[in-house]
Amino acid sequence: NKFTLTKEEQLALIRVNLAEFLNPEIIENVINEGRHPRIYWGTATTGRPHCGYFVPALKIAQLLAAGCHVVILLADIHGFLDNLKAPIELVNYRAQYYQFCVTAILEAVGVPTEKLEFVLGSSYQKTPEYIMDLYKLCSVVSEHDAKKAGAEVVKQSDNAPLSGLLYPILQVLDEEYLKVDAQFGGVDQRKLFAAAKEWLPKLGYKERAHLMNPMVPGLHGAKMSSSDPDSKIDLLDAPEVVTKKIKKAEAAPKVAEGNGLLAFTEFVLLPASSLHGSGEFIVERERDGLEPLVYKDAAQMQADYQNDILTPQLLKPAVSKALNTLLAPIQAAYQANKEWRAIALKAYPEEDKKKKVKKVKDKGSRYPGGAAKDGAPAP
Ligand code: TYR
């Protein structure tokens, strides 16, 4: 039970579903000393958070259940350092919008959010100490290495803005200024994490542990943060929209690899169910007059999928149902929160305009506009 985990159980829960864990001994030592590891996850506040955000949320839920203290960095300054993905005038509203979304997502997966600490990047990234460290790091890190560190995260282009080179420098300093034992992020952050290990000691700061979750394929087999609107499901998409998008999802029978629905079940639906539910993912087969398929782990589910026992036709409605159940409290919270709704309009004014235009044109049946994770307007 959650409150009496042994050190081994704590570590096991920290490791669940990670693709990589660099310098785990740092965390092991903290736990052996009887302290609560302090871990942060940063998110640049750019495009609207979508269902892909459930993947880090579930990992955060596990970290909290394992007794970690989790800090969520709302990286507002990073939102515009990266090629102005968030325009400077909107970034503050976006950070507020993200805080509402992330809180609601975590509540939807049963996380007691009082245990979470939200920090706004700009609240400390403009202090004299931080800025002086920024200058110092700029003097000891080469342009080449700064570019390399951001290669998979920062938008690359010809004649790219200089701010893209600052992005990794700030992310590395954040580990020191947030006073954490570890940083958590997707494997796309790997080069930034490697830079942190190398650069912090240059200023006499200690290196941290790094936890990485795998990139989960989206509904069309690509990363869910791609700019293809149908490949991602907005947190506020109505149940019938969710069902429709999932119906359209690419899911070749018997091919488990790269299947976004199986991945979403493995990394979100199953862990959510095991944190505070039956621990099961249920696939109804009433129509065929058969007993439901009941999964407790991803391995059995993947095996059944490969053997076509779990067909795409069976999987899709099961995923839609479970996802709509997760989204319902988020959408209810949004409807009940006037402040959140007002911030949404201010944070994404362009989308709101587009949405209205589209609604007139096609009765709102299409994806209601939306920016990708990278903030690019939907085509
Ligand atoms: N690089 C992260 C992303 O891709 C955002 C981030 C920003 C993370 C600053 C940590 C940090 O300190 O979204």
Side-chain angles (χ1 to χ4, degrees), residues 40 42-44 73 75 78 153 167 170-171 174 183 188-189 192 373:
Y40 94 101
T43 180
L73 173 68
H78 284 83
V153 169
Y167 185 112
L170 275 87
Q171 183 162 346
D174 289 341
Q183 182 176 179
D188 58 341
Q189 309 293 309
L192 289 155
K373 172 178 179 265

Side-chain angles (χ1 to χ4, degrees), residues 305-340:
Y305 194 82
Q306 277 157 350
N307 295 326
D308 220 21
I309 295 167
L310 174 60
T311 61
Q313 292 73 20
L314 289 172
L315 178 61
K316 286 180 175 184
V319 172
S320 300
K321 188 174 165 207
L323 178 54
N324 279 326
T325 305
L326 273 183
L327 292 176
I330 299 177
Q331 300 182 358
Y334 179 76
Q335 289 312 332
N337 190 333
K338 217 171 137 182
E339 208 189 329
W340 184 1

Side-chain angles (χ1 to χ4, degrees), residues 15 34 50-51 65 69 86 132 159 162 173 180 202 242 245 267 315 341 356 377:
R15 280 179 188 275
H50 48 74
C51 287
H69 181 101
M132 190 61 195
N159 210 11
L162 183 57
L173 281 179
V180 293
K202 289 181 193 274
V242 171
K245 283 185 184 174
F267 290 96
L315 178 61
R341 280 182 283 135
K356 281 181 188 143

